[in-house]
Amino acid sequence: MDELIVCPQCDAVYRLRRPAHGERAACERCHTALITPRRNAGLQIIAVAVAVMVLIIGAAVFPFLTIDAAGARNAVSVLDAALAFSGGR
């Protein structure tokens, strides 16, 4: 069976034919873009992945809960909480 593509606006169904490099596929009925090229898509994916890694490391290492009571202070990070539940500490 052929692969099909459906227009998200008018629900027209087309047989999937990949456009050539630099071209875009548009719906014949409502002219909505169905397939468009994305410039630097690989670089954007890498940039988002690096940003996510930095945020995950920051969230795991820096404390998210700090308790001050009677002069005693205790801070817990996500990594500390995970190790406490696993019996690692």
Side-chain angles (χ1 to χ4, degrees), residues 9-88:
Q9 294 295 320
C10 68
D11 293 331
V13 179
Y14 299 99
R15 282 201 172 91
L16 181 61
R17 182 186 62 83
R18 300 273 179 205
H21 182 69
E23 290 183 345
R24 59 180 251 169
C27 177
E28 293 178 9
R29 224 188 262 175
C30 65
H31 306 291
T32 299
L34 301 176
I35 300 173
T36 58
R38 294 185 178 220
R39 295 178 192 254
N40 300 326
L43 292 176
Q44 290 175 353
I45 291 170
I46 292 170
V48 168
V50 168
V52 167
M53 288 301 297
V54 168
L55 292 174
I56 287 174
I57 291 170
V61 174
F62 294 113
F64 71 93
L65 178 64
T66 303
I67 298 175
D68 289 321
R73 180 181 177 149
N74 196 4
V76 178
S77 69
V78 173
L79 187 58
D80 292 335
L83 290 174
F85 282 115
S86 69

